[in-house]
Structures are given as C-alpha cells and as structure tokens.
Amino acid sequence: QVQLVESGGGLVQAGDSLRLSCAASGRTFSRYHMGWFRQAPGKKREFVAAITLSGGGTYYADSVKGRFTISRENAKNTVYLQMNSLKPEDTAVYYCAAEPHPFRGTYYNEGAFGSWGQGTQVTVSS
C-alpha cells in the first residue's frame, strides 16, 4: 500500500481558491489511480474527483464540476486538487485516496480505493 499525506487546507472566504496536495510514498505512484473525497459534518463521505494513471482521464462530482481541477505530477508522487470559486457548502474534511492498477469498481465509490490519507480541513465562510 501507499502512504498518503494531504496538505493545503485552511479557512477561506466564499469565492476564494485553495490548492490541496497529496504526497504519496513509494516509487510506484504512477501505477495508482488517485481520488479526492470529502466529508462534511454529519454527512457521509462523498466523491469529489478522480484521475487515471497518466492523468489523461479525470472525473468530477457534479457539485464541483467547472470549479475544481484534479491533476497529478508522477515525478513528484503528488496529486493536486485546485479548488476555485469556493462555496460554504464545500466545507469538509478532504481525503486523498489511492488504488493500484487495475482499478476494479467505479471511481465514485469510496470502497474501491484501498489507501487513504488522514484528511485536511477546508472551511469556507460566507
């Protein structure tokens, strides 16, 4: 399994931007499908975005489409989540997730990912 560490969370105002980073350990990062999920207080963890091995394919929840962008730098063992036009409803703990190739299941399902980070808090004030 790969070890994941998220960073970049914080307190921002509505309309601001943040970029989350997720650093992965190991030398086989390019063999992992990566995802971002989030969990708001009192709610279930939900899918935010996912990216394929080389970054050629990206997937987004409807709630963030057009505002968030997932990307990866395999040479740096890092996946990013650029979040623009943040809204108070984006407030949550954001988790990075990884699953080695071949990916079995769907990106939208958290159960399909085997490795998780500890999460980073994002708070958006109105």
Side-chain angles (χ1 to χ4, degrees), residues 25-104:
S25 64
R27 295 175 292 178
T28 59
F29 178 72
S30 61
R31 294 170 57 187
Y32 282 81
H33 299 259
M34 302 298 297
W36 285 97
F37 289 74
R38 67 186 182 186
Q39 187 169 20
K43 295 188 177 182
K44 293 182 178 180
R45 190 155 55 183
E46 64 176 6
F47 170 78
V48 175
I51 190 166
T52 55
L53 301 178
S54 64
T58 56
Y59 304 84
Y60 298 94
D62 288 341
S63 59
V64 306
K65 204 171 292 183
R67 299 187 299 122
F68 290 11
T69 302
I70 187 172
S71 62
R72 66 189 297 164
E73 283 190 74
N74 287 344
K76 294 185 177 182
N77 284 11
T78 302
V79 63
Y80 305 98
L81 185 67
Q82 177 66 44
M83 306 186 294
N84 298 331
S85 302
L86 282 162
K87 304 175 181 180
E89 51 263 44
D90 295 318
T91 295
V93 177
Y94 283 71
Y95 297 91
C96 177
E99 181 66 16
H101 188 74
F103 194 89
R104 297 182 177 88

